[in-house]
Amino acid sequence: MPLPPAADPAMDPWLRPRLRSWLRPELRPGLRSILGRWHLARAVIRGNYGVRPSPFKLTFAVTDRCNSRCRACGIWHRGCGEELALGEIDAFFAANGGFSWVDLTGGEFFLRPDCREVVQSLLARMPRLYHLHIPTNGVDPGRTVDAVRAILRLSPPWFTVTLSLDGPPALHDRLRGVAGNWESVMAVHEALSPLVRGRFRLFFGLTLTPWNPGTLAATLAAVQERRPRVTLADFHLNLAHRSGHYYNNAGAGDGDLVFPGSGGVSPAAARLAEAWLGDIRLLTAARRRRFDPVDFLERRYLAGVERFLRERKCPERCRSLALSLFVGATGEVYPCIIWDRPLGNLRESAFRLGPILESPRAREALTEIAMGGCPHCWTPCEAYPTLLGNGLPFSRRGGAPLEAG
């Protein structure tokens, strides 16, 4: 399987250093954004038409530390294992520097004392990077705001922060298991909103679970009491999923019966799906009023959620492992955040993805995905690259497995 190279041979040796010297410092982030967008566009085109597409999207759970106690997620039960140290993370980024889109997550990413240094390494080692996304629970407003400001001073090309918000105040605090969490999220939003401009965006992320169906409108109303300028366009929705290796919720008690992808559709699951669809359609209608590439992709994702709830399978040909992959906090590599199919550990491959993704185990997994043999999900981490990889006219949408060599 072709891999994102550590550097761009066409740009780095000659043109990029000269552009850095020619341009004033304040113009360099804009140049990087333009180059990153070009690299992402090229990766998407290869994903649609290329015989041998390569991953352009990385989801990296940098830590399993978490100060939430969420009902729908069990990461906080796991505790910290032998997480990759900063030097190991830097070696990983240096050896695999061709990603265009990176999600840095956890746990709670900002609980790592060296979170700023992790981003600094990412920006230094990945010249093709276009989009950096970091979700946060906002439990510690001071730590979160200080870290985001420090990252903004590093001038990332395109930077998005998502604040988790799963309902009105009392419901959110109950689902997140932390008293006062709703207020702390509002404090983070109030502090970061004045910084939203240019290449920095701020969203609320609401996870649809069995315990908050039909609450999007009430959540928006509660937020607008504190933040009147917030609209539905500032929200993102996603579905709660089960995952043993990531969310640590494969046996999530009563929720195990109704999380999407759990198998047969019970009457309770059918009723939940209808309630969730109400929220999904409400947000879809709000995003139809805007002409924005992010909104266009979001509308396609939400349309896929409707199909996923009806059919209980991925609404598009899944492109995980071909265009995206997941790396856990201890360096284990997986096709995605849902399929518990370990492919190898970075510590055993000198932090290079090549030996892992070119292994027989990865080839078998890629073939199973292409033939529809994975568990089926519709999480944004995997859905967005899947949509981009299937979205152009005459895309290679057939059922034959993609080449992995």
Side-chain angles (χ1 to χ4, degrees), residues 12-33:
D12 281 8
W14 185 85
L15 182 56
R16 192 182 297 272
R18 284 161 176 77
L19 287 173
R20 287 198 188 103
S21 64
W22 294 338
L23 287 174
R24 298 194 305 273
E26 64 270 20
L27 297 181
R28 291 172 193 168
L31 169 66
R32 177 168 186 157
S33 178

Side-chain angles (χ1 to χ4, degrees), residues 137-188:
N137 58 26
V139 169
D140 187 337
R143 178 192 293 265
T144 302
V145 172
D146 288 348
V148 171
R149 285 174 172 162
I151 292 170
L152 286 171
R153 286 194 289 271
L154 297 174
S155 300
W158 188 276
F159 181 31
T160 301
V161 170
T162 300
L163 300 172
S164 298
L165 195 68
D166 291 344
L171 177 61
H172 173 78
D173 288 0
R174 185 164 69 250
L175 293 181
R176 290 277 161 171
V178 178
N181 188 198
W182 195 89
E183 287 293 336
S184 67
V185 170
M186 290 301 104
V188 173

Side-chain angles (χ1 to χ4, degrees), residues 81-98:
E82 295 184 10
E83 297 177 351
L84 296 179
L86 178 61
E88 294 176 306
I89 292 172
D90 184 67
F92 167 50
F93 290 159
N96 309 277

Side-chain angles (χ1 to χ4, degrees), residues 55-130:
F56 63 80
K57 167 74 164 26
L58 168 68
T59 301
F60 183 16
V62 183
T63 181
D64 285 330
R65 308 172 212 186
C66 192
N67 47 4
S68 289
R69 298 294 181 265
C70 298
R71 184 174 181 179
C73 175
I75 292 177
W76 58 276
H77 285 295
R78 184 183 293 136
C80 295
E82 295 184 10
E83 297 177 351
L84 296 179
L86 178 61
E88 294 176 306
I89 292 172
D90 184 67
F92 167 50
F93 290 159
N96 309 277
F99 288 101
S100 298
W101 183 342
V102 175
D103 283 14
L104 295 178
T105 183
E108 171 58 30
F109 173 71
F110 295 122
L111 285 181
R112 275 195 69 128
D114 56 3
C115 62
R116 178 193 176 276
E117 288 73 20
V118 170
V119 176
Q120 187 174 30
S121 170
L122 175 73
L123 297 177
R125 300 296 194 179
M126 294 200 179
R128 294 185 176 188
L129 183 70
Y130 173 63

Side-chain angles (χ1 to χ4, degrees), residues 344-355:
N345 194 284
L346 294 171
R347 286 175 168 141
E348 299 169 359
S349 66
F351 301 100
R352 293 183 298 117
L353 285 169

